[in-house]
Amino acid sequence: MKRDRETLVFMMKNLSRGKKTGLPIDENAFPKFGEVRQFCGQLGELWKKAGYLIVVIGTDSDEYIVGIQENLE
């Protein structure tokens, strides 16, 4: 599903774990429009250094379930 960068960044900043940890989001690092999985993959690479993973679950519709998980490895 195509999504605009502004909407995705807003949604990611409002995830409770993102708020608690202050994980960085450089929205200028993303294209103006892109696939949700692509955006999350880019964020995942950035947040991996901070010890977090992004979980993306596709549904049978045009929506995704997205969460932030601490990397316990």
Side-chain angles (χ1 to χ4, degrees):
M1 173 179 158
K2 290 268 184 197
R3 205 40 134 168
D4 68 277
R5 171 181 65 201
E6 185 176 306
T7 301
L8 185 77
V9 168
F10 174 79
M11 291 168 45
M12 295 302 286
K13 284 183 176 180
N14 284 297
L15 290 174
S16 61
R17 185 169 304 249
K19 284 181 178 181
K20 289 178 187 175
T21 60
L23 291 167
I25 299 177
D26 177 7
E27 64 184 275
N28 294 320
F30 304 113
K32 180 83 173 143
F33 294 95
E35 295 290 330
V36 170
R37 288 189 183 273
Q38 176 189 17
F39 285 136
C40 289
Q42 290 176 283
L43 271 178
E45 288 301 313
L46 176 65
W47 290 352
K48 187 185 300 184
K49 297 172 190 167
Y52 290 89
L53 304 170
I54 294 181
V55 179
V56 180
I57 301 169
T59 64
D60 288 334
S61 68
D62 64 347
E63 297 178 352
Y64 290 92
I65 298 168
V66 178
I68 303 169
Q69 172 65 45
E70 189 172 2
N71 187 354
L72 301 176
E73 291 185 19

